[in-house]
């Protein structure tokens, strides 16, 4: 089978890093056409740096990495150093990247790639605020129907918010962008906190990463150890939630996940609930379904897949 073509749009972030590593470890399944960076967890210069550090850690310096939007569509950037550390990738000691950043803007790359490749053959994998994707859709509306699928990490419903009482970080940072994407008509799969908070790196799972004994396994163990303190303190959870790797794991093994096709809309006006994703889980409105909203996963299957694949790098 030919590998599925994907563009990873990201703001690394330790969990973004693991998502990227899982994709790069799976070339028989996923063809990473490019990694497009956006401002989110940390400012753009750092996310563009971190994405290249991860490609080099995976020994894949040929993967093109692009810098995109350095701020949300219409508001000031909110970052999350309190979760991910000053660099966004705190934890392991990793060398500064040698591979170049591409000259082309990430949004131009997304537009050009979707126009060049056969319609319906490129999947977008947003792991951060949706600014790059929304900008591409606004600038080139013709590309929307050429997208095979968008599998994104963002939002929350039953699990409510992690950056405000109502909103999840990726959506909160750029709610207008999320609104554009969710209303675009593209086929969308959403990985909200409802599922990602079930993908917890418990102590034995962390030990399994470390036991790989490879630079990748050890770095992943150190990264997840670094950012677990935030969730442990906040939620009393057993370890770091691997939000973004749910996206790449879904592409590799969708049978590990379950959810419902529902209507999902984003609050863009109320200051109180700004960025909240309102999912009509119980079907109480006539609003048409626009996304597969994931609610559960087979966590043991997920970690078995992840650890096995990381061991290939
Ligand atoms: C999301 O926000 C970021 O901090 C993580 O990388 C993830 O994409 C979780 O709310
Ligand atoms: Ca992210």
């Amino acid at each position: 089978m030919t590998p599925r073509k994907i563009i990873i749009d990201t703001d690394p972030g330790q969990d973004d890093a693991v998502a990227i590593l899982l994709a790069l470890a799976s070339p028989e399944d996923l063809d990473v056409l490019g990694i497009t960076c956006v401002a989110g967890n940390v400012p753009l210069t750092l996310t563009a740096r971190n994405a290249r550090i991860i490609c080099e850690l995976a020994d894949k310096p040929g993967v093109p990495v692009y810098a995109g939007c350095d701020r949300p569509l219409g508001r000031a950037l909110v970052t999350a150093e309190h979760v991910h550390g000053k660099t966004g990738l705190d934890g392991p000691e990793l060398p500064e990247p040698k591979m170049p950043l591409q000259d082309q803007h990430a949004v131009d790359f997304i537009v050009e790639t979707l126009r060049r490749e056969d319609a319906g053959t490129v999947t977008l994998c947003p792991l951060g605020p949706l600014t790059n994707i929304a900008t591409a859709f606004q600038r080139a509306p013709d590309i929307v129907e050429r997208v095979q699928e968008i599998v994104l990490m963002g939002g929350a419903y039953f699990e409510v918010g992690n950056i405000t009482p109502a909103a999840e970080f990726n959506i909160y940072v750029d709610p207008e962008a999320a609104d554009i994407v969710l209303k675009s008509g593209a086929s969308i799969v959403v990985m909200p906190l409802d599922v990602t908070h079930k993908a917890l790196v418990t102590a034995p799972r962390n030990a399994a990463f470390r036991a790989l004994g490879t630079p990748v396994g050890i770095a992943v163990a150190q990264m997840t150890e670094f950012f677990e303190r935030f969730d442990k303190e906040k939620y009393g959870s057993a370890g770091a939630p691997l939000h973004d790797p749910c996206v790449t794991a879904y592409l590799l093994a969708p049978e590990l996940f379950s959810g419902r096709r529902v209507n999902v809309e984003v609050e863009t006006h109320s200051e109180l609930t700004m960025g909240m994703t309102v999912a009509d889980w119980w079907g109480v409105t006539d609003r048409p379904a626009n996304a597969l909203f994931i609610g559960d996963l087979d966590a043991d299957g997920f970690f078995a897949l992840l650890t096995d694949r990381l061991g290939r790098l």
Side-chain angles (χ1 to χ4, degrees), residues 46-297:
L46 282 171
T47 62
R49 162 193 179 264
N50 295 346
R52 287 176 292 145
I53 289 178
I54 295 308
C55 290
E56 290 187 0
L57 175 65
D59 200 18
K60 310 267 183 188
V63 177
V65 175
Y66 303 82
C69 300
D70 65 358
R71 74 193 71 163
L73 295 185
R75 19 184 109 235
L77 176 65
V78 175
T79 53
E81 286 87 355
H82 59 294
V83 182
H84 300 276
K86 204 154 57 71
T87 66
L89 213 52
D90 282 19
E93 286 290 323
L94 295 169
E96 286 300 314
K98 292 194 192 72
M99 61 184 275
L101 190 60
Q102 300 296 309
D103 291 334
Q104 193 178 27
H105 192 281
V107 171
D108 294 330
F109 169 74
I110 292 168
V111 172
E112 193 183 287
T113 304
L114 281 163
R115 283 180 176 162
R116 184 192 62 230
E117 299 289 336
D118 290 343
T121 65
V122 177
T123 293
L124 302 177
C125 303
L127 310 178
L130 288 152
T131 321
N132 285 343
I133 309 296
T135 306
F137 284 4
Q138 277 184 320
R139 196 176 295 170
D142 57 290
I143 64 172
V144 175
E145 63 178 28
R146 303 182 67 82
V147 173
Q148 181 177 6
E149 196 169 37
I150 300 174
V151 184
L152 68 91
M153 192 280 137
Y157 191 62
F158 294 101
E159 196 66 5
V160 297
N162 61 355
I163 184 80
T164 75
E168 181 279 330
F169 179 79
N170 288 342
I171 306 296
Y172 178 76
V173 172
D174 201 343
E176 285 77 18
D179 189 48
I180 289 169
V181 171
L182 282 166
K183 288 183 176 153
S184 67
S187 169
I188 299 179
V189 180
V190 176
M191 293 288 164
L193 298 180
D194 303 351
V195 62
T196 68
H197 278 174
K198 295 174 183 160
L200 297 177
V201 185
T202 58
R205 289 169 179 162
N206 186 283
F209 293 145
R210 196 176 293 273
L212 291 172
T214 57
V216 167
I218 293 165
V220 168
Q222 291 170 333
M223 282 192 263
T224 54
E225 244 161 38
F226 178 86
F227 91 106
E228 72 177 12
R229 83 201 178 299
F230 176 78
D231 283 80
K232 278 184 161 175
E233 271 167 34
K234 185 167 174 185
Y235 298 105
S237 55
L242 286 186
H243 305 287
D244 295 338
C246 288
V247 168
T248 24
Y250 178 83
L251 296 175
L252 296 169
E255 67 280 3
L256 295 175
F257 296 84
S258 58
R260 291 187 188 181
R261 280 202 54 76
V262 298
N263 177 271
V264 187
E265 299 200 5
V266 180
E267 176 58 56
T268 56
H269 294 293
S270 156
E271 280 309 318
L272 183 65
T273 55
M274 184 63 69
M276 181 176 180
T277 44
V278 179
D280 187 7
W281 186 261
W282 301 111
V284 294
T285 73
D286 292 333
R287 296 196 285 261
N290 59 343
L292 175 61
F293 199 77
I294 302 294
D296 208 354
L297 89 166

Side-chain angles (χ1 to χ4, degrees), residues 10-13 15-16 41 127-128 170 244:
T10 178
D11 63 337
D15 62 318
D16 302 70
N41 285 322
L127 310 178
N170 288 342
D244 295 338

